[in-house]
Amino acid sequence: MERIGFLSFGHWGPGQGSRTRTAADALLQGVELAVAAEELGVNGAFFRVHHFARQQASPFPLLAAIAARTSRIEIGTGVIDMRYENPLYMAEEAATADLISGGRLQLGISRGSPEPALEGASAFGHRPQPGETDADMARRHTAVFRKAITGAGMAQADPRYAGAAAGLLPVQPQSPGLAERIWWGAGSRKTAVWSAELGMNLMSSTLLTEDTGVPFHELQAEQIQLFREVWSTAGHAHQPRVSVSRSVLPIVDEEDNYYFAGSALRDGRDQVGVIDGLTSRFGKSYVGAPDLLAEQLAADTAVQAADTLLLTVPNQLGVDFNAKLLGNIAQFVAPALGWSR
């Protein structure tokens, strides 16, 4: 385990006990938590992207703000729904945020997940072409975006206004190295293989849209193994990275016990359900005393197979609480997995 980071879904709302009551709270607290995480030695600050919901929706202004306040921590997404994206505008935004950060952007993208809006991408002006599915459209957008961030020409030069330029013009700005820091959020073994073939890093969550009857961590470890095998034979020039996400909630005081004791009983095992018509397996939460969590995570084969562990945080409990949570993991849990500050 080389790196640990936090993953915030950026929830906000006026519910009872919420310390993140408005969108402004969620954004500003996201910046402050990233600053606190860097001070703790945590390696990454990642944010989930959802549309038409009270969650983080527009990641690049937030990531740029974090980049301007920090100097070391990686910043990223987990993940951006590519059905919604204008690939060329996204290429400009991503390069801009990466340049502000000094090359610290780690951009997780994917086909997306179930959402509250019916055909939400269509409302953004993006519709599948004839014969395409939503997933096909997301991959088409991804291909254009990845081409654009390599500096390839994307639009014909107009000789009236392009000076001496001729042929195809690339989008600007460009950020060298960004193309090697794109991650695909893979929900199955098949999509993990696909991302390895194309040279994208693997971002695997606490949900897989398949179920073979084995424990979640074993299924996910198999996904990671397939990814690494295909990457090895594909001949990519750079080394791959693999992240997994886990809900890790150490209980060290009465406040932690108040919030999480129920989760230890309710969420301490895998669950199987149906998403988008697919039988899916959900990973369990790790809740309890730090030494117990360290022992359990050491036995999690997917955590051991990954180089990066993303810790989902209850962001509505505020910056101070989540900084304490991350500090307890950094001090008492992560070192047992091989991580060091």
Side-chain angles (χ1 to χ4, degrees):
M1 183 55 57
E2 299 174 6
R3 298 173 178 86
I4 60 172
F6 73 81
L7 174 60
S8 173
F9 281 51
H11 292 287
W12 55 274
Q16 183 178 1
S18 173
R19 300 171 191 173
T20 309
R21 306 183 72 82
T22 68
D25 290 339
L27 291 164
L28 296 173
Q29 289 177 19
V31 175
E32 295 304 324
L33 183 57
V35 171
E38 180 171 85
E39 293 173 353
L40 291 167
V42 172
N43 306 98
F46 288 75
F47 297 86
R48 184 73 168 89
V49 179
H50 271 294
H51 301 286
F52 299 107
R54 289 182 173 183
Q55 294 179 239
Q56 302 288 9
S58 181
F60 292 108
L62 173 62
L63 296 176
I66 293 171
R69 289 281 308 278
T70 59
S71 61
R72 179 193 56 78
I73 196 169
E74 292 181 337
I75 57 176
T77 53
V79 289
I80 293 174
D81 187 335
M82 292 302 291
R83 294 174 295 178
Y84 281 82
E85 296 299 319
N86 177 315
L88 298 188
Y89 183 54
M90 179 177 168
E92 294 175 344
E93 290 186 306
T96 299
D98 196 41
L99 290 169
I100 292 171
S101 74
R104 290 182 280 136
L105 184 62
Q106 302 287 340
L107 201 60
I109 61 177
S110 83
R111 170 251 186 250
S113 60
E115 55 186 0
L118 180 64
E119 298 183 353
S122 294
F124 273 55
H126 302 298
R127 297 173 178 82
Q129 295 177 352
E132 272 191 336
T133 65
D134 279 359
D136 294 332
M137 180 175 68
R139 295 188 183 204
R140 172 166 52 84
H141 288 177
T142 297
V144 175
F145 166 74
R146 294 184 68 223
K147 181 179 179 181
I149 62 174
T150 65
M154 304 303 296
Q156 185 66 44
D158 186 336
R160 297 173 299 171
Y161 307 111
L168 295 175
L169 300 175
V171 299
Q172 298 291 354
Q174 291 285 315
S175 185
L178 176 59
E180 296 182 1
R181 288 178 273 114
I182 306 301
W183 305 60
W184 186 258
S188 67
R189 291 165 295 178
K190 181 179 179 181
T191 50
V193 166
W194 175 79
S195 62
E197 291 171 343
L198 295 183
M200 288 186 284
N201 301 303
L202 175 62
M203 184 172 282
S204 193
S205 185
T206 53
L207 163 67
L208 291 175
T209 54
E210 57 184 345
D211 179 42
T212 63
V214 303
F216 174 82
H217 71 97
E218 293 181 12
L219 181 61
Q220 194 174 43
E222 181 183 346
Q223 181 197 46
I224 294 170
Q225 180 181 357
L226 288 170
F227 170 83
R228 293 193 186 279
E229 290 174 351
V230 172
W231 186 288
S232 179
T233 60
H236 301 304
H238 59 290
Q239 293 298 312
R241 286 183 59 183
V242 175
S243 73
V244 295
S245 300
R246 293 290 185 270
S247 179
V248 180
L249 304 170
I251 295 179
V252 299
D253 57 28
E254 287 302 316
E255 183 182 34
D256 298 333
N257 189 69
Y258 174 79
Y259 285 121
F260 303 137
S263 297
L265 300 174
R266 183 179 64 251
D267 304 324
R269 61 181 180 180
D270 291 354
Q271 298 182 44
V272 177
V274 176
I275 290 185
D276 277 354
L278 299 171
T279 301
S280 305
R281 182 167 284 267
F282 303 78
K284 66 182 181 181
S285 297
Y286 290 87
V287 187
D291 56 345
L292 174 62
L293 300 187
E295 179 182 338
Q296 292 177 336
L297 287 165
D300 186 313
T301 55
V303 168
Q304 295 302 312
D307 58 76
T308 302
L309 174 62
L310 298 182
L311 304 158
T312 59
V313 294
N315 76 281
Q316 282 191 272
L317 293 182
V319 175
D320 291 343
F321 181 88
N322 281 291
K324 180 189 75 169
L325 183 151
L326 292 173
N328 287 333
I329 293 174
Q331 181 175 356
F332 300 119
V333 180
L337 307 177
W339 177 82
S340 59
R341 293 175 184 270

